[in-house]
Amino acid sequence: MGQQQSQLSPRDQVAQRVREHHERKKNIFFQHFDRISLGGKLMAATIAVLLVGITVISFSLRALVGNYMLEKTDSQLSQQANLVFNNIDWLSKTDNSSGLSGPNSYFLQIQYTDGTTDADGKPLVVTPLLPQLQDGIVSVPVLPTYGNTDGITLGKVFTAPAVAKQVVEVQASESSSGSSSDASGNDSGTNGTGNANGSTGTTPSPDASGSPAPGSSDSSDSVTKVLSNPKPGANHAAVTAASAPWRIIAKEWTIKTNGAEKVRGVVYIGLSMSDQIDTLKTLTYYCIVVGIAVVLLGGSLSTLIIQHTLQPLKRMEKTAAKIAAGDLSQRIPSAPENTEVGSLAASLNTMLTRIEVSFHEQEETTEKMKRFVSDASHELRTPLAAIHGYAELYKMQRDMPGALERADESIEHIERSSQRMTVLVEDLLSLARLDEGRGIDVTGTVNLSSLVTDAMDDLHALDPDRAITRNRLQLMPAQDLSHPASLQLAAGDWDAVTLHGDASRLRQVVTNIVGNIHRYTPDDSPAEVALGMIPAAIDPRQLAQMPTTEASMRRFIDAAEVGQSMQTGYRYAVLRFIDHGPGVPAESRSKIFERFYTADPSRARQKGGTGLGMAIAQSVVKAHHGFICATGTDGGGLTFTVILPVERIAPAQPAQTASGASAKESKAKTSWFSGERKAKDVPAK
């Protein structure tokens, strides 16, 4: 980096350092800005918006009112300039102490340009109209001198600055009263130019020809009024008002002489802007007061609204902290979902529910895996220990008399243990393949009726003294709230049921259930086997994902009631094996399908089996998108229910096809696994 900087010119190095400095400043600013809370940022932004809005409105209103009043003043001057000039006599005789905003508040000054001069030989300047304020304060606009109109346009209004003067009465001798009168007229012209001192001036009135009569005086023989700077004790408000600028219009004064117009001078007529300035100041004051009130009120309201709005976010923060501490049961308080916070809360609660379910499922899976490894180790260790023990026993006794007979006995025990271990390993391998979706072909055709009949024969061969009843399974609709819909047994043989699936695997399911009845129930206890076709308004994929609980069984029965009344959904083959043995406690029935589960804590296997039969049965049924569960039998015992999808219920077909074939002949069946409709060919007649 240093070598790169050394290659740059000094100017580029300075520019780079300036850029780096600005970048550091910007980073520092954003670091401090990011530390401000969201509520603070929102309140600051709200107050800033209010300030900007009030400032813009105030300046716009001030400019609008100022321009409007200026236009009105200019219009008044333009329209009434001739009227004021023609009524100088009347306006000068009225009371002129009403200030700068009364009906006689016009300023008027005449500057002669026809050669009329004062006592000093200068062009005569008279000021007939000069409004007076309190304490004799007058406002004198600063105008061009002696009729000079350079820089102004006649007939067009312009702004002229003003100076504040005060009328002072000066004693004069009686002998000099005439000269005082002349001097007063001359001084008034001087004051019109903005000089410090002078008299109030003469008050000429137009004669018959329109010419004013200079030389007449307002002053008495002994008192002369002159203008001077305001005294220190003069009224401050009056002095301030007198310092306001004027809006002036300049016009030529012409008279007719012998039929020709003659220019005698320039007339300046004006109106003070003091009233406008005072109005704008008052307006500005009220805008500031109202603006401060609006900012305070708006800031307070915005603070309350922002705090109330951010309160759910604070609750979310506290809930998230509790969840981070390990309490996954916490949920964010709900809010109306039409708001952003409510929608976010609903989404987060849904996510938290899924996370909690996934976490518990992961815990259960981990626990099951640990238990499975422990159980598998125990199950494998037992035959291995037997093999090892009998092998050691054979070695110890092979040199003793009768070693051959004892060797045969040891080999027989070793063979039984190895067979048990072989069955166990094969079952584990089957479960692993089923978990991976291998080792099963669900595209074949299975005659479920024949398969169940064979299983009943096997059970009869194992337990000849057991009474086995063959029944039909049907849905009994709900009668009332106390008697919901249920699956009932009916006397009679079942119909042939054919479905798509793996025949060998389904036979394994039935054989495992029959084997449980043989091993865990008395030889003379009765058993019932029932089979039926029941429609249900539930999707097979959804059915296969339901847990193996009685609540899931109730859900299927409710769906079956809907499917039977509406003739919609899928047709299912429902198979039940009912025994009247000791049964299984309700809290342990769902654990029957866990791998290596046994109700005996000692895990003794006197009756044989590996503890994987029901787990394999559940995996096979789920691979067929079916459902299996264990429920209690009325009067004691255990009932296994197996539900397998057969076909989708097709829409109602017309009574006759176009060719006259019956609806039964034209009906097409749907394979759940292939998803293809296989219609029977109807030969053409």
Side-chain angles (χ1 to χ4, degrees), residues 170-230:
V170 179
Q171 289 293 124
S173 62
E174 294 183 0
S175 60
S176 60
S177 61
S179 61
S180 297
S181 298
D182 293 339
S184 67
N186 296 337
D187 288 340
S188 69
T190 304
N191 286 321
T193 63
N195 291 336
N197 299 314
S199 67
T200 58
T202 60
T203 308
S205 60
D207 54 16
S209 61
S211 172
S216 62
S217 176
D218 263 345
S219 58
S220 64
D221 293 339
S222 60
V223 177
T224 301
K225 295 180 180 180
V226 297
L227 301 179
S228 65
N229 291 328

Side-chain angles (χ1 to χ4, degrees), residues 264-312:
R264 295 211 59 189
V266 179
V267 180
Y268 292 96
I269 303 172
L271 284 171
S272 177
M273 297 179 66
S274 173
D275 187 50
Q276 300 179 29
I277 294 174
D278 184 62
T279 301
L280 292 178
K281 286 182 179 179
T282 304
L283 180 63
T284 303
Y285 171 77
Y286 280 110
C287 286
I288 292 174
V289 173
V290 172
I292 293 174
V294 169
V295 169
L296 292 177
L297 181 61
S300 301
L301 290 176
S302 65
T303 301
L304 294 177
I305 294 173
I306 290 171
Q307 287 180 350
H308 180 73
T309 304
L310 295 181
Q311 195 171 9

Side-chain angles (χ1 to χ4, degrees), residues 129 192 229 353 423 440 563 649:
L129 300 178
N229 291 328
T353 301
V423 173
I440 188 169
I649 298 177

Side-chain angles (χ1 to χ4, degrees), residues 309-310 312-313 316 332-349:
T309 304
L310 295 181
L313 295 179
M316 290 182 186
I332 297 171
S334 60
E337 292 192 10
N338 60 332
T339 62
E340 291 80 1
V341 175
S343 178
L344 177 61
S347 300
L348 288 177
N349 284 334

